[in-house]
Amino acid sequence: MTTSPETALLRLLPVPRTAAPGERGFPLRAGTPVVVADAELLTSAALFAERLAAETGLVLGRVEAGAPRPGAISARVDPADPAIAAIPVARGVSASGDDLGAERHALTVDGDGIRVVGASAAGVHRALTTLVALAEQLPADPAGIGLPALALADGPALAWRGLSLDVARARFSVAEVCRVIDLLDRYKLNVLHLHLTDDQAWRLEIGSRPELTHGQEPGAFFTQAQYREVVAHAAARHITVVPEIDMPGHSTAAIAACPELSSAEATALPGSTEEMWARLVAGELRPLWLEPGRPEVWRFVEEVIAELAALTPGRFLHIGGDEAFGMPVADHRAFVTRARALVRAHGKEPIGWQESIRVAAAPGELVQLWIDEELAPDPAHPFLTVLPPQLADMLLSSSREATEDTALMAEQQARVLVSSGGRAYLDRPYAEAVTGEAEERRARLGHPLYPPVTLRDVCTAPIAGLDAETAFEVAGFEAVVWCESVNDADDLFFLLLPRLPALAARAWSPGPAPSWDDLRTRLAAQAPAWRRHGLTWFPAPSVDWT
């Protein structure tokens, strides 16, 4: 079936702000040169040529620095370009430290060639991403790809648009994490938040604390060289890595490796998710935390933060701060306060999960909101009824306390990363039944405490900070995927797709959520690319997949 240029525009995701048609398009042919005005754009131009070849089979000509010329793809940085200046700057916080208008860009296609201009190198990169997305929707033949004449101008609504990826509860290779980064790049997300530690495992090599990863088999954790490889892969795509060391709760793996961090002994770590649930139900696992009254704890925390800060070029380090079940309130406050100070002492800005707002902070503190009414556990939920009463009560108490958190965020003038569990959590089970292998995977994946959600609800229900007003200042948006139920990368991508592209589109585009009919058409058009790259996805019956 032939795709018209007009139809190709209707399949772009995220949706561009403006895309006005022109009179005479441009045939993109093998050997078409790519010319950039500045050497800083060469990396993005080379990646563009590689992606275009992978998605369409079309091999472009030489990528070089030089002056724009007819018949070429020409790219330059010019924040004063009228088309870019007309696009509002993004709101929120830039994880990279770039200007809030840095990702704005314009793309012009006419009979003379293709011209790309960005407010920065990041803007040029996003424009070239759009060009690949447009070209892959059009038929390719020996004459090339007939691109429609257009004048497109675009830019994001939010400066911080990311994915929080749990690599602690499931093992992923560097190559698999880089495939996730490539997915973020495709849908113009610009932050990868890596949840590196939890009760189940410690996944990053710390040179001063080799015991944290001692005994783990090769590939079970990231060496520092591998972590740098992930950071570099992301940076080449204008994506910032934000690492998280979850403290003071979720620290069983650290305490098992370094018993001096707690007065309580860590029992053997669960070898699988199924084992973890069974031991929780049996009362054999209990919450542990790093005890702030122990000098050994602060030697440990400072060593870890110092190494992580040195490894990470980005501005932010995430200290966790969530679900410190059973920890005295005064101890939690003392820990979060001192951990924030240590992060700043090493030249970074701290981020904490929602519970960290209960510890008074300076205006502008970054806090990640995740608990909302929809995710609040029902006391009668079957999962809670089989847990030991003390643990079930801790979960319910934490949920009740969270009802005051948004007021604290506004009162303390926090900057809030919106990751509301009711919408942004991609480990919520899929609600729609399917058939075959996909149904087996659907029935198995997702946290058993979370209510299932339909794809349409994820795509269209209001999300605070995106299309619903909030009393607090919104710093950005992150989708979140926890991996308790994930066995491998196929499981991971099944949870991510198609929900992550839909949420990425909502974080990019301003205003109310798009219509379901429009978004389901755009999602359906993504499936051929997912197949080309061997990705698994949930084939929601509400979408007519192509």
Side-chain angles (χ1 to χ4, degrees), residues 89-429:
V89 300
R91 62 192 175 96
V93 174
S94 168
S96 66
D98 285 347
D99 182 87
L100 292 175
E103 292 178 287
R104 293 175 298 166
H105 58 267
L107 170 65
T108 304
V109 180
D110 58 29
D112 293 330
I114 300 170
R115 295 179 296 283
V116 170
V117 59
S120 70
V124 169
H125 186 87
R126 303 292 178 237
L128 292 173
T129 299
T130 298
L131 185 54
V132 173
L134 181 62
E136 72 181 5
Q137 296 294 339
L138 294 165
D141 57 38
I145 299 173
L147 293 175
L150 62 85
L152 181 151
D154 205 3
L158 290 177
W160 185 307
R161 308 173 311 281
L163 172 69
S164 176
L165 173 61
D166 173 13
V167 297
R169 295 184 177 95
R171 289 170 46 180
F172 302 111
S173 67
V174 169
E176 288 165 342
V177 173
C178 288
R179 291 179 80 193
V180 173
I181 291 170
D182 293 342
L183 189 67
L184 304 188
D185 186 26
R186 168 179 281 272
Y187 297 109
K188 298 187 173 76
L189 294 167
N190 62 2
V191 175
L192 176 64
H193 167 179
L194 284 178
H195 184 80
L196 291 162
T197 70
D198 213 294
D199 290 318
Q200 290 83 352
W202 186 285
R203 297 291 185 194
L204 179 66
E205 175 188 40
I206 301 296
S208 63
R209 294 281 179 163
E211 61 269 31
L212 289 168
T213 49
H214 178 72
Q216 294 189 47
E217 59 188 88
F221 63 93
F222 300 112
T223 66
Q224 294 194 1
Q226 289 172 325
Y227 177 78
R228 289 191 184 96
E229 184 180 344
V230 168
V231 170
H233 189 88
R237 291 151 180 82
H238 295 274
I239 294 169
T240 301
V241 172
V242 175
E244 178 188 350
I245 302 297
D246 204 353
M247 306 177 288
H250 289 287
S251 294
T252 303
I255 293 167
C258 307
E260 69 275 12
L261 303 179
S262 174
S263 58
E265 181 179 355
T267 55
L269 301 181
S272 67
T273 298
E274 291 77 11
E275 180 187 345
M276 182 185 71
W277 296 134
R279 290 175 61 189
L280 279 170
V281 170
E284 296 174 2
L285 290 179
R286 60 193 182 94
L288 299 177
W289 57 87
L290 304 182
E291 298 181 10
R294 292 175 162 249
E296 301 92 337
V297 164
W298 295 110
R299 284 195 291 271
F300 171 84
V301 172
E302 180 151 24
E303 289 172 10
V304 169
I305 288 175
E307 288 199 34
L308 191 58
L311 284 169
T312 303
R315 297 167 58 195
F316 296 95
L317 297 185
H318 204 302
I319 60 170
D322 63 313
E323 294 186 329
F325 296 133
M327 186 176 190
V329 171
D331 284 359
H332 181 258
R333 289 175 178 163
F335 187 96
V336 170
T337 299
R338 190 163 176 179
R340 285 172 178 162
L342 284 172
V343 169
R344 292 192 181 95
H346 287 280
K348 304 297 181 181
E349 295 184 47
I351 309 174
W353 288 106
Q354 176 167 341
E355 294 90 326
S356 67
I357 197 62
R358 300 167 197 171
V359 182
E365 193 78 36
L366 255 69
V367 179
Q368 191 158 5
L369 183 152
W370 68 277
I371 307 171
D372 60 16
E373 291 183 6
E374 189 164 345
L375 202 66
D378 178 355
H381 192 288
F383 181 73
L384 283 179
T385 62
V386 298
L387 286 178
Q390 184 180 10
L391 182 54
D393 185 61
M394 288 178 182
L395 289 169
L396 292 169
S397 296
S398 177
S399 177
R400 287 191 293 268
E401 191 171 0
T403 59
E404 306 296 327
D405 289 342
T406 54
L408 287 173
M409 292 171 188
E411 178 185 324
Q412 296 185 31
Q413 301 176 50
R415 297 178 297 177
V416 180
L417 292 174
V418 176
S419 297
S420 306
R423 296 286 174 263
Y425 270 35
L426 303 184
D427 55 321
R428 285 187 65 182

Side-chain angles (χ1 to χ4, degrees), residues 512-532:
S515 74
W516 171 236
D517 285 342
D518 177 68
L519 195 50
R520 67 195 288 268
T521 298
R522 295 178 190 271
L523 283 174
Q526 310 305 307
W530 301 342
R531 291 190 189 98
R532 281 195 298 273

